[in-house]
Structure formats: structure tokens, C-alpha cells
Amino acid sequence: MTEAKTQKPPERAPLKVDLALQGGGSHGAFAWGALDRLLDYPWMEVEGISGTSAGAMNAAVFAYGMMTGGHEGARAALADFWKQVSDAAKFSPFQRTPWDKMTGNWSLDHSPAYIFADTMSRFISPFTFAAISTPVNPLRGILEETIDFEALANGPIKLFITATNARTGRGRVFRRHEITADVLLASACLPTLFQPVEIDGEYYWDGGFSGNPTITPLVRECESRDTFLVQINPVYREEIPQTAREILNRVNEVSFNATLLKELRMVAMMRQVADPGNSEGRAWAEMRLHRISSDIMVKLSASSKLNAEWAFLEMLRDEGRAAADAFAAEHRDDVGVRSSFEFESLLEGV
């Protein structure tokens, strides 16, 4: 897809905003595109970012790029990070079949290596061969090369990274000064592929099980009242899944949306009952939520979250930019004034 030239919007008074970035493997390249487009709006000052899994990595890379090079630094850092991810994936056994490449199918549903690994994950855990060899997550080297975590701890953007405690099942939100490569890897640790990541004597899995992403700290710890949710996992599907593959794909989407929807219901309720007479009540009552999403995600299967081909990542990036453009065309004037995503409807029937 050829990246379309876009006209920069007229100037506006500076406005603090927060970002909430969902996780979803290589589908996180969609959020890369959305962030890349939002950087064209200099009046938006990012105060805080909450991210999970791929969203956590986008958050940390974006924040570090901003502190070292401003808007262009963030843009370059995100592009470099995703290019390194793609380059590393060239050696992955998870590749599309020639037929899928010919037909433009981005999924790995027919990849022999993916099918074998998906099947064996029901019988063999990442601990099985630990005595022989513990798989090294290739993202570690990329993260350590891309981000100076000591410098990031003193950066201007507040970060909230969620990981799931493997013992308790509870989410833990790591703040800016706590973030390391281990924290980001923990936030993206799929239990069927990797052993849990040990941090301070506790063990953590993917944060998507407990907060994808976590919204509450953006409300309680940031001054901004506008939060942009970049949503990767589809909430609604028209068709009822029928095949085994469709059912597993839908279960994956429901699981990684459940905590977000539950928290948004809580936020909607807090907005209705919070006392605006005190500072915390005012923060809940005045919260404004905006969502950037795309129907393209409905067309992608869960297996494509492991597809890191550069052409696929570029396609997702361009879709993310287009989705941000579509949001701006319809809701630009809502930012700073009202919610453009009326999530109070989530309370219906609850």
C-alpha cells in the first residue's frame, strides 16, 4: 500500500492527552501507524501512556524517542524498532506458505511450523526442555539496543506497563522508574511460548490477561482528561464462529478484551457517581475517551499476530495512519471538549 500524503491540520492551543495502547503481537504495528500520524498534531502533548504487550513496547519506544529527539525522534524510534522486529523474524520458522503469499492471506493458519507449535503447546510447556535449552526472546536484544532504560526512568512521559502475576493472576502496573527490558518482556510473555519472566522474586505473564491496557492510572495519576485508546482486538464480530480455528480465534479476542471492557464499565459508572467536589471525583467525572480502531482487524486471524513480515507490518502501519486520519476527520473538534467514544453504553444489560 502506498502511503498517502496528508495535509497537516491548523494549529490549536496545546492540550495534554494520554494514550492507551492495546497489545496483540505484530498487530501492534497498527498502533505504530496511529502514533506516527498523531505526531503530526503538535498541539497534542502526551502526558502519560498505558500499554500492554506490544502496546507496552510501543509506549516505551515512543516515550524514549520523544525524550531524545522530540516528535521526529519518536517517529524514527518506532520505525527502527519495528524494522528490527521484522529483520529478526526472517529467521523464525513461523512463515506464510507460498499459496498464502500468492493469495494475499496474512495468516499463519496453514504454516506447518505454526500448526505443529500450536498443537504441541497443548502437551509440552516451555519448562519441558528448560534443562537443555531455555529459548531466548529475540526482543530482548532489540529493546536493550533501542532504549536506555536508566534515561527513560527520568523522562517526561509517565508510563504504565501491565504484566500478569503468574501466581496470583493479578495485574501489576509498572511505573516509569521500574521499567526494564524484563518488564516489557513480561508484559508480552505468552505462557505457551516462554517461561514467565522473574522480576523482584515474582513471575509474570502477558499483561493482556489482567489489563489490556490498564486505564485507571491514566485517570488517577495524570492531569490530562483526554485519553486515546488505540484498539487492536475486535470487540464485535457479525458472524458466529463455527470452525475450530474460528472459535479459538474468537476466544483469543474475547479473552484479551475482557479486562478492558470491565474496566471501561467501571470508568463509566465512576463518571456517573463520582463527586466532582473533590479532586479524584473530578478526574473521573471529567474523563474523555476517544478510540482509534479499524475494521481491518476483523479480517485478521490470531495466528497473524506472529507474522512479522515487513510488508505486513507496513500494511498495518498504513492502516493505523488511515484510522487516525478518519478519527481526526470526524472527531478532531471533540478532543478537549467531550468524549467521542460513548462507552457508557457498555453499562447496558450489566
Side-chain angles (χ1 to χ4, degrees):
M1 180 184 297
T2 302
E3 192 172 334
K5 293 183 178 180
T6 53
Q7 185 176 4
K8 290 189 176 182
E11 293 294 327
R12 275 185 54 168
L15 178 72
K16 289 184 178 180
V17 301
D18 296 325
L19 305 173
L21 309 178
Q22 269 200 326
S26 62
H27 291 186
F30 173 84
W32 163 31
L35 294 174
D36 186 80
R37 183 65 182 97
L38 291 177
L39 286 167
D40 288 334
Y41 295 82
W43 53 271
M44 292 200 319
E45 299 178 355
V46 177
E47 179 186 8
I49 312 176
S50 178
T52 296
S53 193
M57 299 187 188
N58 276 328
V61 172
F62 178 93
Y64 184 67
M66 282 289 288
M67 70 174 288
T68 56
H71 285 216
E72 291 309 312
R75 177 174 281 117
L78 285 167
D80 180 64
F81 170 76
W82 283 102
K83 187 63 170 66
Q84 288 192 66
V85 168
S86 179
D87 288 344
K90 292 177 181 178
F91 305 101
S92 168
F94 301 142
Q95 303 290 339
R96 289 188 296 159
T97 66
W99 175 253
D100 286 326
K101 292 180 179 180
M102 288 176 58
T103 57
N105 180 16
W106 294 112
S107 82
L108 300 178
D109 291 350
H110 305 113
S111 164
Y114 175 80
I115 294 171
F116 177 77
D118 187 46
T119 302
M120 296 307 294
S121 68
R122 273 80 169 161
F123 306 98
I124 299 177
S125 89
F127 288 90
T128 302
F129 301 109
I132 302 174
S133 174
T134 301
V136 177
N137 193 324
L139 286 172
R140 177 180 294 279
I142 296 173
L143 290 169
E144 291 176 346
E145 182 179 334
T146 303
I147 302 170
D148 180 342
F149 289 98
E150 289 188 10
L152 183 66
N154 299 308
I157 296 179
K158 299 174 183 177
L159 293 174
F160 308 98
I161 305 302
T162 302
T164 303
N165 188 307
R167 298 181 195 270
T168 66
R170 297 177 60 185
R172 175 177 171 181
V173 178
F174 294 85
R175 269 66 178 180
R176 178 177 51 199
H177 65 281
E178 302 172 297
I179 296 173
T180 62
D182 279 339
V183 169
L184 297 180
L185 292 175
S187 183
C189 179
L190 292 175
T192 57
L193 291 180
F194 297 102
Q195 295 180 30
V197 178
E198 182 181 1
I199 302 172
D200 299 331
E202 284 294 349
Y203 295 83
Y204 295 92
W205 278 334
D206 195 299
F209 298 115
S210 54
N212 194 18
T214 305
I215 303 294
T216 301
L218 295 176
V219 181
R220 301 189 69 181
E221 300 180 36
C222 295
E223 296 178 8
S224 167
R225 293 295 173 260
D226 288 87
T227 295
F228 283 79
L229 169 64
V230 183
Q231 193 161 16
I232 289 175
N233 298 292
V235 173
Y236 178 80
R237 281 185 179 269
E238 186 67 35
E239 302 295 330
I240 300 297
Q242 298 183 27
T243 68
R245 179 65 61 188
E246 290 171 347
I247 292 170
L248 288 173
N249 182 58
R250 188 56 180 154
V251 167
N252 178 280
E253 292 172 347
V254 171
S255 299
F256 281 88
N257 273 327
T259 53
L260 172 64
L261 292 176
K262 184 176 181 179
E263 189 173 18
L264 288 178
R265 291 189 190 103
M266 183 273 292
V267 173
M269 187 174 296
M270 289 293 290
R271 285 183 61 182
Q272 293 181 3
V273 303
D275 179 7
N278 60 65
S279 58
E280 176 150 351
R282 187 161 55 252
W284 290 103
E286 294 178 354
M287 180 198 176
R288 298 180 289 267
L289 188 64
H290 314 282
R291 180 174 65 172
I292 296 176
S293 60
S294 171
D295 290 339
I296 188 67
M297 295 305 178
V298 179
K299 302 175 183 178
L300 300 175
S301 70
S303 68
S304 65
K305 293 179 179 180
L306 295 176
N307 180 359
E309 292 177 51
W310 184 239
F312 182 50
L313 300 183
E314 284 188 308
M315 182 277 289
L316 289 169
R317 177 204 61 193
D318 292 346
E319 289 291 342
R321 286 182 59 88
D325 277 332
F327 171 86
E330 187 171 357
H331 296 297
R332 179 177 180 274
D333 291 338
D334 291 329
V335 181
V337 179
R338 65 183 70 84
S339 286
S340 58
F341 176 36
E342 299 301 331
F343 56 100
E344 282 83 356
S345 61
L346 296 174
L347 291 174
E348 297 177 4
V350 177

